[in-house]
Amino acid sequence: MELSTTAINTWCPGCPNFGILASFKEAMTAMVGANETTWENIVVGTGIGCHGKMSDFINVNTFYALHGRVIPVMTGIKLANPKLTVMAFSGDGDSLAEGIEHLIHAAKRNSDFKIFLHNNQVFGLTTGQVTPTSAKGYQGRTTPEGSVEEPLNPLALLLQSGATFLARSYALQPKETAVMMRQALNHKGFGMVEIIQPCITFNDTRPYFKDRFETLPQDYDASDYASAYQALMTKSEKVKLGVIYQVNKPTFEEQV
Ligand code: SF4
């Protein structure tokens, strides 16, 4: 199936969003090939931000939501037709500033859809303002002397909120990101893959992350809450990549 559209791509040349787009195509092709879903049953939502253009560039069922409101739309779609494979691309500004209340409640309910979070730690589309995940000291258009706030940790927030699948990947590792997307979509319940996505124009974190990633060890137990807490909360120079938490609980749709 041809997954590309004829829309002109307006991302900055070299933006790691291209890697996320490639990961999505690879994950969906693998899932359909393995009869884990069908093209007709795939539904993708997006919010507002650079990530939102994913809706323009993929030839599947898509819904372009208002800013911060993609989560309630996905909740309704999955509830109305539980056999669909439902996911949303969102950004740190979209889901952690505008839509944070929806995010927390979707995790609390364990609604069976997934968020692929393009975490670039900046409002990129509007040319560089702080978001809730911007690093302390980030100098952007609204904080020319540096942000004084500590960044929010999205996966730690969702661990506490009740999410049943939490993973982290790097946009510049598209193969690994595709594997994590597929794992997330084969999980029953609410999940997020936080994709660290440097905004090469307004917040180029590639040098910062260059030697900072650490893949979780083979014997890591993702079903253990305490291990997940430690992986997410321990102050360390290293940022953990992989499936950090996965447990089974009744979903919102099953219970309703
Ligand atoms: Fe990518 Fe940043 Fe350009 Fe947006 S502004 S397309 S996130 S590089």
Side-chain angles (χ1 to χ4, degrees):
M1 160 135 173
E2 178 50 62
L3 276 175
S4 301
T5 67
T6 53
I8 294 168
N9 196 311
T10 51
W11 284 329
C12 305
C15 175
N17 277 327
F18 285 97
I20 301 177
L21 180 61
S23 303
F24 167 81
K25 291 179 179 176
E26 187 170 326
M28 292 309 105
T29 303
M31 287 185 71
V32 173
N35 292 321
E36 293 164 2
T37 187
T38 62
W39 293 118
E40 296 75 22
N41 282 346
I42 292 170
V43 180
V44 177
T46 57
I48 300 297
C50 290
H51 79 272
K53 298 178 187 178
M54 291 286 283
S55 270
D56 298 330
F57 306 146
I58 49 181
N59 185 26
V60 295
N61 303 305
T62 55
F63 190 103
Y64 216 142
L66 296 174
H67 204 189
R69 309 296 170 227
V70 70
I71 290 171
V73 175
M74 296 299 107
T75 304
I77 289 172
K78 184 68 184 184
L79 191 58
N81 189 350
K83 74 170 194 265
L84 299 176
T85 302
V86 181
M87 72 204 83
F89 292 93
S90 186
D92 42 305
D94 188 60
S95 267
L96 294 163
E98 294 286 333
I100 191 165
E101 71 282 21
H102 298 304
L103 183 68
I104 290 169
H105 285 276
K108 177 175 170 289
R109 287 185 198 112
N110 198 27
S111 295
D112 186 14
F113 66 92
K114 311 300 172 304
I115 302 287
F116 300 135
L117 186 81
H118 299 221
N119 187 2
N120 58 15
Q121 303 171 269
V122 71
F123 280 106
L125 192 68
T126 48
T127 68
Q129 297 81 17
V130 279
T131 71
T133 59
S134 298
K136 188 171 185 179
Y138 171 71
Q139 291 178 293
R141 291 170 78 93
T142 46
T143 53
E145 293 180 32
S147 169
V148 297
E149 297 182 30
E150 291 289 342
L152 196 139
N153 180 335
L155 295 182
L157 175 72
L158 292 184
L159 178 69
Q160 176 60 35
S161 303
T164 52
F165 184 97
L166 298 169
R168 188 186 286 122
S169 73
Y170 187 40
L172 294 171
Q173 294 177 355
K175 288 245 169 261
E176 290 83 349
T177 301
V179 169
M180 253 177 263
M181 284 180 174
R182 186 176 173 186
Q183 270 181 277
L185 290 166
N186 280 323
H187 170 80
K188 232 176 165 18
F190 183 80
M192 173 184 276
V193 180
E194 178 193 10
I195 307 168
I196 305 287
Q197 179 248 304
C199 167
I200 59 171
T201 304
F202 297 107
N203 190 21
D204 192 357
T205 51
R206 286 175 297 178
Y208 174 84
F209 284 116
K210 189 169 174 286
D211 296 312
R212 273 207 168 69
F213 290 122
E214 184 175 77
T215 304
L216 289 166
Q218 290 274 329
D219 61 352
Y220 176 80
D221 180 6
S223 67
D224 182 44
Y225 187 96
S227 299
Y229 185 87
Q230 197 177 7
L232 291 170
M233 295 301 291
T234 307
K235 289 272 179 215
S236 153
E237 279 295 291
K238 297 290 181 187
V239 177
K240 305 283 190 293
L241 297 184
V243 177
I244 295 169
Y245 189 58
Q246 184 172 17
V247 291
N248 292 315
K249 282 187 198 162
T251 65
F252 181 58
E253 296 75 21
E254 286 166 345
Q255 296 183 90
V256 168

